[in-house]
Amino acid sequence: MIIAGGLCKKLRKSVSAFNPQKCTFLETVSVELQTSKLTLARKSNVYKKWGWSTEQILLGFTKWPKFMQLSESSVTAGMDFLVSKMGLSSSCVADRPKLLSYSLARRIITRTSVLEVLVAKGLIKDGYGVHAMIAINENEFLRKYVTCFKDEAPGLMKLYQEKLSFKITLRQALLLRYIKCISQLRD
């Protein structure tokens, strides 16, 4: 195994980490084959800067191995938003490493904007399970957090759609800028 330093030995000892009966087994092998020891050490240090222990990193690896392949900038941006802005503990994110895989702009910020409105109107309690709200699929999110509050918060759907369309418009603008740059390079 290629896991950096002491992580390798600890993962080998963990039977559940490499249980071929688990769905994550192939992901684990794939991540280990595709990621160098140096990269794993660097990524581990990013998580440790956010207060994760070696044991939390190992647990995250057994839950969702691909979290070790996320870019350092996306991990830092995601952790900063979830911990600093939304008030989640670093340990909460460590228990749910897949949270870091969701798009900050298209999913996390958009959905937490809805959460902020619901909390401000007293429709749900502050400290509500942000992680659950982020992780569910789009239809379930709309059903549980937007359409069911249409009478109590009539502007909620509009807010959500505006946040989504802004993100799409921003993506389209970046794509157009990229295409323009490519065409200029070809000329």
Side-chain angles (χ1 to χ4, degrees):
M1 300 295 160
I2 318 171
I3 301 298
L7 290 177
C8 180
K9 291 176 186 173
K10 288 184 181 184
L11 279 175
R12 283 184 184 157
K13 289 179 184 177
S14 173
V15 176
S16 64
F18 295 105
N19 182 349
Q21 302 297 319
K22 288 192 165 194
C23 297
T24 57
F25 178 73
L26 289 177
E27 286 180 358
T28 303
V29 172
S30 174
V31 168
E32 289 200 45
L33 292 174
Q34 294 173 6
T35 313
S36 72
K37 183 186 265 189
L38 180 62
T39 300
L40 287 171
R42 214 175 56 244
K43 302 269 174 111
S44 293
N45 287 334
V46 171
Y47 292 108
K48 285 180 179 181
K49 285 179 186 175
W50 283 98
W52 292 25
S53 66
T54 300
E55 289 73 27
Q56 287 174 311
I57 294 170
L58 290 168
L59 182 61
F61 193 79
T62 61
K63 288 182 176 183
W64 191 63
K66 290 186 176 191
F67 90 101
M68 289 300 278
Q69 292 182 317
L70 297 172
S71 74
E72 293 169 43
S73 61
S74 71
V75 168
T76 300
M79 288 296 292
D80 185 52
F81 184 82
L82 292 168
V83 174
S84 303
K85 171 93 170 80
M86 294 311 300
L88 290 179
S89 69
S90 186
S91 295
C92 178
V93 181
D95 289 341
R96 299 160 183 86
K98 195 159 186 173
L99 281 176
L100 296 170
S101 72
Y102 299 115
S103 168
L104 188 59
R106 289 186 309 273
R107 189 172 193 147
I108 297 174
I109 292 174
T110 304
R111 290 186 178 192
T112 55
S113 297
V114 169
L115 175 66
E116 288 172 347
V117 170
L118 294 174
V119 168
K121 291 188 174 272
L123 298 170
I124 59 176
K125 294 178 183 176
D126 195 12
Y128 185 78
V130 176
H131 47 83
M133 177 185 255
I134 293 169
I136 61 175
N137 70 46
E138 186 73 8
N139 290 335
E140 191 71 10
F141 171 78
L142 290 172
R143 186 182 66 75
K144 279 183 152 181
Y145 301 102
V146 180
T147 56
C148 74
F149 293 110
K150 65 182 176 191
D151 294 332
E152 298 91 339
L156 201 54
M157 180 61 91
K158 183 179 179 187
L159 168 77
Y160 184 68
Q161 289 171 337
E162 285 172 357
K163 292 279 185 185
L164 277 179
S165 66
F166 173 73
K167 303 308 177 202
I168 292 168
T169 304
L170 182 60
R171 250 183 39 210
Q172 290 169 340
L174 291 173
L175 181 60
L176 289 173
R177 182 180 290 167
Y178 174 74
I179 291 169
K180 185 177 178 182
C181 288
I182 295 295
S183 64
Q184 288 175 348
L185 288 174
R186 290 185 180 168
D187 294 338

